[in-house]
Amino acid sequence: MKNSKIPMLIIPIVAVLILIGLVAFRAFQNNETTKQNTKGITIVASLNTYGEIAKAVVGDQGEVTSILNKASIDPHEFEPTAATAKQYAAAQLIVSNGGGYDTWANKLAKANKQAKDIDIGKLFNYKDGDNEHFWYKPTMAQKLTDALVQKLSAIKPSKAAYFKANAKKYMEKIAPITQKRAEIKTLIAGKTVMATEPVYDNALAGLDVKIADQAFALAVDEGNDPTPKDVKEWQAEIESGQVALIFENTQTTGKVVKNAMKIAHEHNVPVVGVTETKPDGLTYVQWQLKILNEIQEALQK
């Protein structure tokens, strides 16, 4: 009889222990949620240019991690690590360049089913063959801030007005770029320019310039040596005396490019250096204005 009563006594004890366990687990979950809310919105951007803009819009409501955050990092050779994958897995909002430029970022973003996603290429309806250097497009900042406000507001609706106000403040900082572009247009419209790579081509849209000898630039951009024909055409353009300016991607080295630039210097053609990654120590606005000022100075010589 005693043995038969023992299980009956154990059942309510076990039930109480289970209940205590469930309460403890729920408390743990709530604690973790509170921690996440305290940290704010977690954002990961592939490029520091986009990370800078994301931070401006999210303000004190989140933290931003930029993966390519130094000018010394070659975007074309970058390989994500396990730590990179972990950062993407924990993100609530992911900003990628797209257009095949940061394929690794798009893959990691796709793996995080819970995160909101902004693909800059999609904002510009990118198609194969288009120029993927979207950060040089004059409308990039406006399109990205608009997208950030929409995505961040969906994550934290109570702060929608705050995000919108931050975006407006950032766009006010962009105004000097628009003004400087208008000044540049009066100097460069109708002129012919060339480039060692089509890195800056998107920024030239709307300035009414002719971009000559694309074959040379496209070959370098794809990691190939320009053909002898491409090199000959490049030299012919320079010798024609019609080229007003050359844009050199200073992050690309190679004998063919060095020889091409030597020809340019021999014919006194002004050269403006551009880069794919934002220079260390400069904001996006400072970077863009620096290039525009150099263009202005070169054309006024």
Side-chain angles (χ1 to χ4, degrees), residues 36-50:
Q36 290 179 359
N37 290 338
T38 301
K39 290 180 180 178
I41 301 170
T42 304
I43 305 172
V44 174
S46 59
L47 307 182
N48 56 2
T49 289
Y50 303 143

Side-chain angles (χ1 to χ4, degrees), residues 19-34:
L19 180 61
I20 292 173
L22 289 173
V23 171
F25 179 69
R26 180 58 61 85
F28 171 78
Q29 284 187 315
N30 291 338
N31 186 50
E32 288 302 302
T33 299
T34 300

Side-chain angles (χ1 to χ4, degrees), residues 2-300:
K2 289 182 179 180
N3 291 338
S4 64
K5 289 182 179 179
I6 291 175
M8 296 298 292
L9 293 172
I10 291 175
I11 291 174
I13 294 174
V14 171
V16 171
L17 290 174
I18 291 174
L19 180 61
I20 292 173
L22 289 173
V23 171
F25 179 69
R26 180 58 61 85
F28 171 78
Q29 284 187 315
N30 291 338
N31 186 50
E32 288 302 302
T33 299
T34 300
K35 286 181 180 179
Q36 290 179 359
N37 290 338
T38 301
K39 290 180 180 178
I41 301 170
T42 304
I43 305 172
V44 174
S46 59
L47 307 182
N48 56 2
T49 289
Y50 303 143
E52 174 191 315
I53 298 175
K55 182 55 184 174
V57 178
V58 76
D60 61 12
Q61 295 301 303
E63 294 298 328
V64 181
T65 298
S66 296
I67 305 302
L68 303 184
N69 56 11
K70 294 181 180 178
S72 59
I73 301 176
D74 188 335
H76 301 289
E77 296 182 1
F78 177 78
E79 292 291 340
T81 63
T84 307
K86 186 176 180 180
Q87 289 172 314
Y88 272 82
Q92 294 170 275
L93 175 60
I94 296 170
V95 184
S96 308
N97 186 80
Y101 189 82
D102 51 359
T103 304
W104 55 270
N106 291 126
K107 289 180 179 178
L108 291 174
K110 190 175 181 180
N112 186 340
K113 305 295 183 182
Q114 306 304 316
K116 302 290 184 183
D117 178 40
I118 297 176
D119 183 313
I120 308 296
K122 291 180 180 178
L123 298 182
F124 285 102
N125 299 313
Y126 174 84
K127 296 179 179 60
D128 287 342
D130 290 349
N131 191 309
E132 74 279 12
H133 303 96
F134 304 119
W135 56 90
Y136 277 125
K137 280 183 172 288
T139 58
M140 182 280 292
Q142 184 66 70
K143 284 184 177 291
L144 179 52
T145 53
D146 287 346
L148 284 164
V149 169
Q150 180 184 18
K151 300 291 185 179
L152 291 171
S153 297
I155 296 172
K156 201 166 188 177
S158 63
K159 291 295 181 178
Y162 173 76
F163 298 139
K164 187 174 182 179
N166 285 349
K168 182 179 179 182
K169 288 178 183 177
Y170 187 81
M171 287 309 301
E172 289 172 355
K173 295 180 180 180
I174 296 292
I177 297 178
T178 303
Q179 181 180 346
K180 180 61 67 173
R181 282 178 57 82
E183 294 175 17
I184 296 296
K185 186 173 182 177
T186 62
L187 297 171
I188 203 171
K191 290 182 169 59
T192 298
V193 300
M194 295 172 67
T196 58
E197 283 187 73
V199 172
Y200 197 68
D201 285 13
N202 280 333
L204 299 175
L207 297 182
D208 297 335
V209 300
K210 175 187 175 184
I211 305 175
D213 195 25
Q214 290 287 62
F216 183 100
L218 290 173
V220 175
D221 187 49
E222 292 171 2
N224 303 319
D225 283 337
T227 66
K229 179 184 177 183
D230 297 337
V231 174
K232 186 176 181 180
E233 290 177 350
W234 168 282
Q235 185 168 349
E237 287 282 0
I238 295 294
E239 293 175 346
S240 71
Q242 299 301 308
V243 178
L245 192 67
I246 291 177
F247 294 96
E248 178 191 9
N249 179 4
T250 56
Q251 291 177 303
T252 298
T253 59
K255 184 177 180 180
V256 176
V257 172
K258 287 182 179 179
N259 288 339
M261 295 312 301
K262 181 180 179 181
I263 294 171
H265 292 305
E266 288 174 349
H267 288 78
N268 297 315
V269 179
V271 176
V272 172
V274 296
T275 57
E276 292 195 49
T277 52
K278 182 164 66 73
D280 297 337
L282 296 183
T283 66
Y284 174 69
V285 174
Q286 290 171 339
W287 177 28
Q288 297 305 303
L289 285 176
K290 179 176 182 293
I291 296 173
L292 290 170
N293 285 327
E294 289 176 3
I295 292 173
Q296 188 174 43
E297 291 172 9
L299 294 173
Q300 289 177 335

